[in-house]
Amino acid sequence: MIIHYNTYSEEWDDPFLKPENLNEFGGSKSKYHVALTATDAPYSQWQCRIMYYWYKKAKNMPGSDMGKFTRILHSGKSDSLMEEIPSFVVDPLPEGLDRGYVVLNRPWAFVQWLEKAIIDEEYILMAEPDHIFVNPLPNLARGQYPAGFPFFYIKPSDHETIIRKYYPKEKGSLMDIGPIGNSPVIIRKPVLEKIAPTWMNISLMMKDDPASDKAFGWVLEMYAYAVASALHNVHHILREDFMLQPPWDVEIGMKFILHYTYGCDYNLKGELTYGKIGEWRFDKRSYLSGPPPRNLSLPPPGVPESVVRLVQMVNEATANIPDWDAL
């Protein structure tokens, strides 16, 4: 499903963005560069290794428009994965500026990378370590229009007083601000170069404002990206098929990225026990200090396809990545 966020009706601002036209033409055929931000912590490293394994498998499949890959390492120094994963080291924010919110380093990392790196591709996919490619991903962007994913919890209209601190009424309607974050997004490099400094500055301003920080919490930099895009009049095509998020999305179908940010807890009957530790579980936060072991147990019968596939793909990656337990 494709939605243009400026309207949820049949009245489309631009006929080129109508779903039937986008389905017909698909997207740009230009290659995109896969980029994700990361730290040198073991928790980040093992996710990056799995992500890179599946990138390599998906890159040359029919239907893929993937180009090169970069792990943007914002720890300020090299780590043990430099030879395994193409990486670019950038500086973290000055000490204490992120106030324990490590994600605040993401926009600053992209600003540095865009300024200093040689990027051959015209487009960039902003991804995350906990993304797995479950189907070959084409370039979903169309020209100047980036492609993004609609997050149900990004609701600018629910926070009008706060949003207007950064997007005043004279700039336009709150409907101009999409329900997006920066990832996953496929975007032309010059467009991202324009947005990124604003995204960084708004993220810092929001974090420095107690009301904004309280309202937005762990999705603060997502709101900052959405606002920065609107300030630069950049409108994203919203693709619900861009990503699935187990356990809430139960089928994979033709979706492209599996995002395992939520814990998956089930009893032995295959029933979801979200919010309560299950008799069977997979939660990436169980492995904060080191990688998960190889050959994780598969979920019990009745658990949705998306969760089964997640564990299968983690197991395949860990079985084939050399020195998996070396971190």
Side-chain angles (χ1 to χ4, degrees), residues 7 10 19 29 58 81-82 85 104 128 137 141 146 148 159 186 201 217 220 242 289 320:
T7 174
E10 293 300 316
K29 293 304 178 185
L81 298 181
M82 302 300 290
I85 303 175
L104 207 60
E128 298 181 14
L137 177 60
H159 305 282
I186 299 177
N201 290 331
L220 181 147
F242 210 152
S289 60
N320 288 282

Side-chain angles (χ1 to χ4, degrees), residues 264-318:
C264 299
D265 287 276
Y266 292 86
N267 62 28
L268 296 183
K269 297 178 181 178
E271 298 167 335
L272 182 65
T273 63
Y274 193 78
K276 176 183 176 183
I277 294 178
E279 296 172 279
W280 180 94
R281 77 182 322 232
F282 177 80
D283 187 338
K284 66 177 185 177
R285 294 163 191 83
S286 299
Y287 308 103
L288 293 174
S289 60
R294 286 175 164 152
N295 197 29
L296 293 169
S297 63
L298 293 177
V303 170
E305 171 202 16
S306 61
V307 179
V308 176
R309 179 75 72 85
L310 166 60
V311 179
Q312 289 173 334
M313 295 184 83
V314 168
N315 281 345
E316 178 180 331
T318 61

Side-chain angles (χ1 to χ4, degrees), residues 12-313:
W12 294 79
D13 317 82
D14 185 335
F16 195 59
L17 293 180
K18 287 184 179 179
E20 62 266 24
N21 289 342
L22 286 163
N23 283 330
E24 177 182 353
F25 294 108
S28 171
K29 293 304 178 185
S30 298
K31 296 287 186 181
Y32 58 82
H33 193 107
V34 179
L36 68 155
T37 58
T39 73
D40 59 0
Y43 178 64
S44 177
Q45 287 182 321
W46 70 256
Q47 293 175 58
C48 288
R49 297 181 85 189
I50 291 173
M51 200 275 195
Y52 185 58
Y53 172 87
W54 285 106
Y55 155 80
K56 289 189 293 183
K57 293 204 71 172
K59 180 177 184 292
N60 296 317
M61 289 183 178
S64 168
D65 290 321
M66 291 179 180
K68 297 178 182 177
F69 184 103
T70 299
R71 179 184 63 134
I72 307 171
L73 183 62
H74 56 76
S75 300
K77 61 183 185 300
S78 300
D79 69 357
S80 59
L81 298 181
M82 302 300 290
E83 294 185 6
E84 179 179 333
I85 303 175
S87 302
F88 191 93
V89 178
V90 298
D91 293 326
L93 289 168
E95 186 175 357
L97 195 59
D98 66 7
R99 301 182 186 181
Y101 180 55
V102 68
V103 184
L104 207 60
N105 285 276
R106 182 177 293 157
W108 172 224
F110 270 107
V111 167
Q112 295 175 81
W113 179 65
L114 290 165
E115 287 180 349
K116 299 176 182 179
I118 297 173
I119 306 164
D120 296 328
E121 296 83 356
E122 181 182 359
Y123 289 82
I124 293 167
L125 164 64
M126 291 188 283
E128 298 181 14
D130 59 354
H131 286 177
I132 293 177
F133 297 105
V134 290
N135 281 305
L137 177 60
N139 187 343
L140 302 176
R142 281 306 286 180
Q144 294 293 114
Y145 293 101
F149 177 79
F151 290 92
F152 71 90
Y153 50 79
I154 302 296
K155 300 178 179 179
S157 60
D158 286 359
H159 305 282
E160 181 171 5
T161 302
I162 294 174
I163 290 292
R164 287 304 187 189
K165 296 179 181 181
Y166 314 100
Y167 193 77
K169 286 185 178 181
E170 57 267 25
K171 290 293 184 180
S173 166
L174 291 184
M175 288 296 292
D176 294 336
I177 303 172
I180 55 172
N182 83 290
S183 176
V185 162
I186 299 177
I187 186 169
R188 283 193 71 230
K189 182 170 61 175
V191 179
L192 182 57
E193 288 172 337
K194 181 172 63 174
I195 293 174
T198 307
W199 171 30
M200 178 189 72
N201 290 331
I202 292 177
S203 295
L204 293 171
M205 287 190 289
M206 285 181 173
K207 190 63 180 174
D208 199 45
D209 177 64
S212 301
D213 192 22
K214 181 179 179 181
F216 299 148
W218 65 274
V219 296
L220 181 147
E221 61 86 27
M222 296 174 69
Y223 272 98
Y225 178 82
V227 170
S229 297
L231 286 170
H232 288 285
N233 200 32
V234 174
H235 304 292
H236 291 63
I237 303 161
L238 300 189
R239 300 280 307 228
E240 289 193 342
D241 59 349
F242 210 152
M243 188 167 73
L244 69 144
Q245 302 185 96
W248 311 116
D249 297 311
V250 298
E251 296 179 353
I252 292 173
M254 295 306 297
K255 294 184 178 181
F256 300 108
I257 292 173
L258 188 155
H259 183 209
Y260 56 98
T261 190
Y262 296 105
C264 299
D265 287 276
Y266 292 86
N267 62 28
L268 296 183
K269 297 178 181 178
E271 298 167 335
L272 182 65
T273 63
Y274 193 78
K276 176 183 176 183
I277 294 178
E279 296 172 279
W280 180 94
R281 77 182 322 232
F282 177 80
D283 187 338
K284 66 177 185 177
R285 294 163 191 83
S286 299
Y287 308 103
L288 293 174
S289 60
R294 286 175 164 152
N295 197 29
L296 293 169
S297 63
L298 293 177
V303 170
E305 171 202 16
S306 61
V307 179
V308 176
R309 179 75 72 85
L310 166 60
V311 179
Q312 289 173 334
M313 295 184 83

